[in-house]
Amino acid sequence: MQFTIARTLPELRSALDPLWPEGIAFIPTMGALHAGHMSLVEASRQYAPHAVASVFVNPAQFGPNEDFARYPRALESDAAMLEAAGVRVLYAPEVEDIYPPGFATMVGVQGALVDELEGAHRPGHFAGVATVVAKLLMRVMPRAAVFGEKDWQQLCVIRRMALDLDLPAHIASVPTLREADGLAMSSRNRYLSEAERAIAPLLYQMLKEIAAWLASPAPRNEDILSGAAQHLLASGFTQVDYIALRDAETLGSPQPSRPMRLLAAAWLGHTRLIDNVAVSG
Ligand code: AMP
């Protein structure tokens, strides 16, 4: 099966032209691909016969002091992995292809969904995410787009945006793929030193323990969240941005008999890890 790398919108359009009638499932990424990304490719099969992926490190979703410049880039091996997985088209545009001179429109999801948790620590992040995802969906016009639960808040924001803007693609999601010790796979894990990598799985272990405790009949107590943060700090994490229990869809306060999600972000030196787990009420 033919594999095409498209670097510009016209190249993308001619590569997608023969695929549209049968249907496309789309996997947007920032590259430096790992098995977690490939599980999205695998899942995409159930939504359409042709898989199309993008690799674009989107400057609009990085703050001025974040890791845009040093974010890992590995286009050659990304392309090889996608081709081997049967992806038909890799769209890997330059920044100017997505944001040409004069570009002046941002997609702004409003409210707590974007202002809290990641949004509180990364101002403007979700405007950058929503804008690029909206543009990519318009360009690729897939039947479905597949996202990871790893970035739970991002998934909620994209679902909200797709609903509010009547974007025709189905927004599908895939559970977080983890290393054997529980650490959520992430392109940023390669920043971790050996010592940090040894501590990193504690974030998921804490989330799982808290989720199990919250699901038990013991009375609910918010102190458990600050206790967990203290434990992470005592174990070598250098900063805890948040550990929060939220409604799984609106990310507002938990509501009786609605699904909940426990979300966390914490630093190990210069590396920021995020993770989340379901909580049964
Ligand atoms: P990124 O390249 O980090 O922007 O991620 C691209 C897509 O892959 C997003 O939808 C992520 O949520 C998803 N993703 C990243 N890591 C994982 C993982 N460990 N398991 C499942 N999906 C993931």
Side-chain angles (χ1 to χ4, degrees), residues 191-263:
Y191 298 154
L192 296 168
S193 70
E194 210 175 308
E196 290 166 346
R197 176 64 187 81
I199 302 167
L202 194 61
L203 183 62
Y204 176 57
Q205 283 164 26
M206 289 290 354
L207 292 179
K208 277 219 310 195
E209 276 174 36
I210 299 170
W213 191 83
L214 289 169
S216 76
R220 199 162 286 171
N221 179 349
E222 291 292 315
D223 286 350
I224 191 175
L225 301 181
S226 51
Q230 291 311 315
H231 182 64
L232 289 176
L233 292 171
S235 306
F237 278 81
T238 42
Q239 187 180 319
V240 177
D241 283 351
Y242 59 85
I243 303 180
L245 179 66
R246 296 297 175 93
D247 181 277
E249 184 187 335
T250 67
L251 300 184
S253 306
Q255 301 296 320
S257 54
R258 280 183 50 84
M260 292 179 289
R261 205 84 190 174
L262 185 63
L263 306 101

